[in-house]
Amino acid sequence: MPAPVGAAPFDLYGAAHLGALSVTLLLAVGLVLHVRRYPQRAGGIAKALAVILLTFYPGHVLILWKSGYLNRENAFPCQLCDIAAMLGAVALLTRNQRVAELVWFWGMAGTLNGLLTPALSESFPSYAYFAFFALHSGVVIAAVFLVAGLKLQPAPGAVWRAFGWLHLYLLAAGTVNWLSGANYGFLREKPPQASPLDLLGPWPWYLGGLEVLALLLFSLLYLPFRRPAQPAAAT
């Protein structure tokens, strides 16, 4: 969508970017501290976050359709962050540990990277700016709240489960790309803006590098929850 009057091109780590990152950090930490002090409010906060995550996609599509900007690149919820948002809502409403750990890995390894290096051309106060950060910040906030606020922490084997489900997502997104000619998951080409994918070589080699990077990040994200090995019983 074109930027409204007053909206400038997006400036990586400019004032608008740093402002969005600061709000995300404050909300993530603030909600965790709040629910730890007032645990009886955890359910209400979880439901509110879930509603935001669930209503974002249909609301976003409706606005794009009304504005005449709906196309094959944004009509389907096939970006990894879209799936993470839906899973985040499910985890918040059901408190399912398996789903929560998936949101943690995908949100903190994938969506957080999107926040740090946005594929965004329009800055504040464009609709694209608010839509991008509402979704990505919402996923990261939900991931932190699930793990640190509701204490739905990754269990043993979580890294490989998240990695396995990631491949199922890649298969599904690749199929949609093949049928529609879209570029969900940046599987067909890199985003036009600078991103960590630029360090992984040209297509298709960066896809393999992306898998290695994902496994490394998942492993690092699991370190705070790794159980120490139990000493062998004395004989």
Side-chain angles (χ1 to χ4, degrees):
M1 296 180 69
V5 176
F10 186 77
D11 181 17
L12 186 66
Y13 295 111
H17 188 192
L18 292 177
L21 293 178
S22 298
V23 170
T24 304
L25 177 63
L26 289 173
L27 285 174
V29 174
L31 287 176
V32 169
L33 293 177
H34 184 78
V35 80
R36 287 187 174 183
R37 185 172 183 179
Y38 303 104
Q40 69 276 13
R41 299 178 182 175
I45 294 174
K47 290 177 182 177
L49 285 174
V51 169
I52 292 172
L53 293 175
L54 282 176
T55 58
F56 176 84
Y57 172 71
H60 179 59
V61 169
L62 179 61
I63 290 174
L64 291 175
W65 176 62
K66 289 287 188 180
S67 304
Y69 292 100
L70 190 65
N71 57 50
R72 64 186 181 184
E73 298 290 348
N74 54 36
F76 307 109
C78 293
Q79 296 288 12
L80 185 65
C81 297
D82 296 327
I83 307 299
M86 297 177 190
L87 292 174
V90 171
L92 288 164
L93 293 174
T94 65
R95 303 201 183 188
N96 184 290
Q97 185 273 331
R98 286 288 192 264
V99 179
E101 69 182 20
L102 191 56
V103 177
W104 170 254
F105 289 115
W106 286 10
M108 300 306 289
T111 308
L112 179 58
N113 175 69
L115 280 176
L116 297 176
T117 57
L120 189 62
S121 59
E122 303 162 9
S123 190
F124 179 91
S126 70
Y127 170 75
Y129 171 88
F130 285 107
F132 181 90
F133 284 106
L135 173 64
H136 290 72
S137 297
V139 170
V140 171
I141 292 168
V144 173
F145 185 78
L146 285 164
V147 169
L150 300 182
K151 299 182 179 180
L152 298 171
Q153 300 176 349
V159 169
W160 292 108
R161 284 192 293 273
F163 195 60
W165 282 109
L166 177 63
H167 282 78
L168 185 61
Y169 160 75
L170 294 175
L171 178 62
T175 301
V176 173
N177 289 342
W178 177 65
L179 293 173
S180 67
N183 187 34
Y184 292 107
F186 301 115
L187 299 181
R188 293 167 63 97
E189 59 181 331
K190 301 175 188 179
Q193 293 79 11
S195 76
L197 296 182
D198 296 331
L199 304 175
L200 301 178
W203 188 92
W205 307 113
Y206 74 82
L207 298 177
L210 191 59
E211 287 196 281
V212 174
L213 181 60
L215 186 57
L216 175 61
L217 291 175
F218 288 177
S219 299
L220 291 174
L221 287 166
Y222 181 66
L223 285 180
F225 314 104
R226 187 174 181 180
R227 277 72 167 176
Q230 296 296 324
T235 57

